[in-house]
Amino acid sequence: MSNQATASVKVTHVEEQIVEIVSDSGEGAQKAGTAFAALNAKMGNGVWTVEIIPAEVKPPARSTAGASGIRVRFGQEHMTNMGDQADLVMAFNEQVLYGRINQEAYRPGTVILLENKWKDSNNDKIKAQYAKALVDFADRGFVVKEMPLEEACLAHTKNPKLGKNMFILGMLVWIYDRKLETALEEIDHLFGRKGETVVESNQKLCRAGYAYAMETLDFRFSIEAKARAKELVVMNGNEAVGLGIMASGMDLLSMYPITPATSVSHYLGDALGKVGGFLHQAEDEIAAVGFAIGSSYAGRTACTVTSGPGMALKTEFMGLAVMSEVPLVMVVVQRGGPSTGLPTKVEQGDLLAAIFGAPGDAPKLVIAPATIEECFTFIPRARQMAEEFRGLVVVLTDANLATGVQPFPRPEVKPEQFNIPFEQGEWEAGKPPYDWDEKTGMSPRPIPGQVGGEYVLTGLAHTNFSKVAYDPSTNQTSSEMRSRKFAAFRDNLPTPKVHGAEDGDLLIVGWGSTLGSIVEAVDRARSEGKKVSTLHLRDLNPLPRGLEDIFKRFKQVMTVEINYSDPVELGEDRRYAQLAWWLRANTLVDIDCWSNVFGQPIRPGLIYDEIVRRLSEGGLR
Amino acid sequence: MSESTTPVKAPHLFTLSDYQSGIARWCPGCGDHGVLAAIQRICTEEQLPPHKTVFVSGIGCSSRFPHYMKTYGFHGLHGRAMPVACGVKARRPELQVFVSSGDGDFFSIGAGHWIHGVRYNMDMTLTIFDNGIYGLTKAQTSPTSPLGLKTKTHPHGAILPPMNPIQATLGMTNLSFLAQTVDWKPQHLKATLQAAYKHKGLGIVRVMQRCTAYTADLHDEWRRNPEKVLLMKHDKGVPVDPKIDKAFKNQVEHDPTDINKARELGDRTDVLPIGLFYVNPDAPRYDQMTNAGLEMSNEDKAKGLNAALDKFAVR
């Protein structure tokens, strides 16, 4: 199709691009962006997508707080994060752009294709707002192209408000010289369930947008794609968690709706049945985890998915799972806290709550995926850990992973992965239900239905026969047994690998969704000769062995996290970021931190700036 | 080997001792002992295999119940017996599940699970031991403590009118079995619990009992004046032992499928109605929904997962 472009069109070759579609809520920007991202992935490009979601379902139209939409970063290489400032923005009104400007999403030179119907608005206030914004955008150095998008749509649909998104998709397909046929297939995939008429009308609008861009625009970009060796799947982190649950063999998800975790259940509401599983929407967070624990106790190991406030409510049951050694997988999709906090925004603020939450000594395994692929693979791993170590495994993801879309190699599926991973025959006569191995604290567990295994699980202090005991030694002994499982678990944890040189001036330590941004920033600094490396932790509790040795090879060690910490200037009053706190306590190394709670994924550019600052003269502490 | 030479193994008969575990540590004279004896007898009569029977409880005196049964048990958290029990039953329909709870455990801290547990209507037997007091924690006011009852938290007497849990339960959606009995009439106690066990769905029994330590005279009004106890009788109700028939002269013929009549009886405070208030054997059962897919083969699961992955495939 590109040969049809007029000769006056300027084609620029680029390695990557960041595109945003921004609108009022409910205008379908996310759908268009998702289709565009999938299209790029299918063409072999690296993609990272992040949704821009307002807190309310229907915030006021044309408002800063109402900015809704999507960012798609795509390019020749594998994409690992949302990047810095956008290159091209498709905007349905000028006011929502301020929501993005406040988050430093744009730079001088960012091209904005802006709906211009507002300039002729009957409402003088809107007219004035629009005119004022145009002047301001010019001052900011944005390249604004006003376009009558809605009017152009009118020729092809009665209700342009509902079809504009596919029109925009068509325009993007032309601008980036993507395959129109693949885009149309994607529309079929998106709307297929709604019937042929809906698919056709959306495809028509996409074609119209493509033609309109060809007629009206004088610029295009070309991006090469690398040939793929393996078959890929593309999805967001919550869908990956959902598929991970399906692949883990856990056949019960017991949940209560909570942002930003709920979309896991939106996916599994339909899909879990395809592997014979069941989704239970409980009456509250506490009941959700209680139901899961009941099922796990009965031999059908279950999963619960929640976010910070939900984890807080589940705390008492978390302690019970640890105390009574019932396997349980709990996925926590972190959002901004404390309290109701920032429901739709990212934070890594639940690390210490996950590690320490629950009264008394309640050791639980805590792991954190760092990529969309790991959102999938860590769930079967968590199930295996929960069974083997007979207890609670918390999987910490966050709002950035939940809505980020990234392709990864298609996982292999085998019937054997659905086998029930424990003995179901008769329980050996006289064997206690907690047959703790003195060294490892590990023990098999009897399951209701097993003859001879009858025991009464209790959250009270208990002997190895699960008999309630208040004597001085029993609680000490059983606590020791539960703790020893942790040391045993560390035996199998490999020391993580440093990205970059094994020693140097600065080591950045991260966990969870910041991996892509940190690596990108570190690589950029290294390419300029800076002696900086990074270490990313997936196992947070217990930590792998060998960290001290790694830390001691660097002049400075600093965590980068999305949670609150005080600035260095506060001196001895300073409170540290959560991973820094945890690493300091565990390694006695003087680890520094750099973190914030803007509710945004940390951009690589900001991390790079901080690296430069730390390594500049006087930057070293 | 021909069929005729195959030794016929006599079915193993479970006896009372197959269900008894240790000596119950409730106070002497506590009504809990009577409920334990009744349930152990029911298990024996119904020949429930101990390894396929699970007793779930919360926290409180009555929640110690599983410890005295030689079956599987789950003595969990305060107020949370129902979610755990429902989870046990969800994917193991062949397990027989019993729940023991008290007035504080069930009507107060666990009240949220009451209304939803009724709506789920999973096939299990729920006994609520109601003695109008928090006994284990030593005499705090419970939701069913009578007005004026002196407790450690209300030393001048309980200041709110007591909750009527029967009235409340009769207003809940998808109720399928609700009965009331008393701890001082073992025949009626056992007959009521057995009827609840036999009911397919959530069989709820509220046992009116005394705490010998703190509310020993709680039911004196009913105990001393049997005519103030109203015996609900019907073919579809709790079978009435001749001794009970004789003991309670104040009787009413009550068709337990009549919800309006049940609600009238449930509202009464001038008498203590005992027997079956309400039954609806056709109420939808969640355990018949949660067991979906249990029979699926690993091969079909693998196919299902592959089909799910196909939708995300980059073709």
Side-chain angles (χ1 to χ4, degrees), chain A residues 19-34:
Chain A
V19 172
E20 286 194 2
I21 308 172
V22 193
S23 67
D24 285 335
S25 184
E27 294 192 286
Q30 277 121 4
K31 212 153 216 180
T34 305

Side-chain angles (χ1 to χ4, degrees), chain A residues 41-42 189 228 232-235 239 243 246-247 251 267 273-276 278 280 283-284 286-287 290-291 293-295 297-298 300 316-317 320 410 413 415 417-419 447-451 453-460 468 470, chain B residues 21 50-52 54 64 66-67 69-78 80 83-84 86-88 90-92 95 112-113 116 120 122 286 289-290 292-294 296 298-302 304-306 308-315:
Chain A
K42 287 180 180 179
H189 175 66
R228 305 188 310 267
L232 299 178
V233 284
V234 59
M235 65 187 73
E239 288 163 337
L243 281 158
M246 290 167 73
D251 64 358
Y267 174 62
K274 296 193 167 87
V275 291
F278 186 80
H280 171 60
E283 61 268 31
D284 59 48
I286 297 173
F291 196 98
I293 287 177
S295 182
Y297 163 78
R300 291 279 178 169
E316 193 184 8
F317 262 121
L320 179 69
R410 181 178 174 134
V413 178
Q417 77 196 60
F418 299 101
N419 288 346
I447 305 292
Q450 276 188 292
V451 175
E454 294 88 345
Y455 77 110
V456 179
L457 175 149
T458 179
L460 286 163
V468 176
Y470 303 131
Chain B
S21 177
H51 65 282
K52 287 187 176 171
V54 185
R64 289 301 183 95
H67 288 287
M69 294 297 301
K70 210 192 282 176
T71 63
Y72 279 92
F74 192 114
H75 176 210
L77 301 182
H78 197 21
R80 315 297 170 202
V84 170
C86 292
V88 170
R91 305 292 288 172
R92 293 294 305 274
L95 297 177
H113 312 306
H116 292 277
Y120 295 142
M122 297 177 90
Y286 193 47
M289 308 169 200
T290 59
L294 281 177
M296 191 181 276
N298 286 353
E299 284 69 26
D300 283 345
K301 288 179 185 178
L305 180 55
N306 264 323
L309 284 166
D310 282 345
K311 294 207 168 170
F312 298 95
V314 177
R315 291 167 290 265

Side-chain angles (χ1 to χ4, degrees), chain A residues 18-266:
Chain A
I18 298 172
V19 172
E20 286 194 2
I21 308 172
V22 193
S23 67
D24 285 335
S25 184
E27 294 192 286
Q30 277 121 4
K31 212 153 216 180
T34 305
F36 186 62
L39 162 65
N40 281 296
K42 287 180 180 179
M43 291 183 66
N45 292 98
V47 182
W48 182 277
T49 309
V50 60
E51 289 179 355
I52 301 156
I53 312 169
E56 292 94 20
V57 177
K58 274 276 179 193
R62 295 175 46 79
S63 68
T64 307
S68 171
I70 194 160
R71 166 181 281 213
V72 182
R73 184 184 185 194
F74 62 106
Q76 288 173 194
E77 305 292 330
H78 182 64
M79 291 290 145
T80 62
N81 67 87
M82 70 166 198
D84 292 303
Q85 278 79 27
D87 299 298
L88 179 84
V89 183
M90 311 289 272
F92 291 179
N93 73 65
E94 81 292 347
Q95 291 303 310
V96 287
L97 289 176
Y98 281 103
R100 302 296 297 148
I101 289 167
N102 289 345
Q103 289 167 4
E104 298 172 7
Y106 310 138
R107 58 172 164 78
T110 296
V111 176
I112 300 173
L113 303 187
L114 179 62
E115 167 65 56
N116 71 352
K117 68 171 180 177
W118 313 106
K119 75 176 160 59
D120 303 319
S121 173
N122 295 329
N123 182 327
D124 288 342
K125 194 182 155 201
I126 291 177
K127 221 167 157 173
Q129 276 181 335
Y130 184 79
K132 191 179 161 198
L134 281 188
V135 175
D136 180 49
F137 291 168
D139 286 349
R140 292 172 186 270
F142 304 159
V143 183
V144 179
K145 290 190 190 295
E146 297 179 83
M147 306 191 87
L149 299 174
E150 194 165 305
E151 195 187 297
C153 274
L154 262 180
H156 310 280
T157 177
K158 279 179 198 150
N159 186 354
K161 277 194 178 136
L162 287 178
K164 230 167 16 179
N165 59 342
M166 291 298 120
F167 191 81
I168 294 285
L169 173 64
M171 289 179 72
L172 288 172
V173 171
W174 184 81
I175 294 169
Y176 291 104
D177 198 8
R178 309 281 85 186
K179 287 180 188 152
L180 182 59
E181 279 314 308
T182 315
L184 297 176
E185 275 172 30
E186 206 47 42
I187 290 173
D188 187 44
H189 175 66
L190 271 180
F191 296 100
R193 248 192 276 177
K194 294 185 177 173
E196 242 171 71
T197 324
V198 178
V199 171
E200 276 169 19
S201 66
N202 279 290
Q203 287 178 334
K204 190 174 138 194
L205 279 157
C206 180
R207 279 201 192 90
Y210 187 94
Y212 176 75
M214 194 191 301
E215 284 160 26
T216 55
L217 295 177
D218 60 357
F219 65 93
R220 274 186 112 177
F221 298 95
S222 69
I223 291 184
E224 281 165 27
K226 287 192 174 167
R228 305 188 310 267
K230 283 182 189 162
E231 191 183 356
L232 299 178
V233 284
V234 59
M235 65 187 73
N236 70 36
N238 274 1
E239 288 163 337
V241 165
L243 281 158
I245 291 169
M246 290 167 73
S248 73
M250 289 186 286
D251 64 358
L252 179 72
L253 170 64
S254 180
M255 51 65 67
Y256 182 79
I258 185 168
T259 305
T262 318
S263 64
V264 175
S265 50
H266 295 174

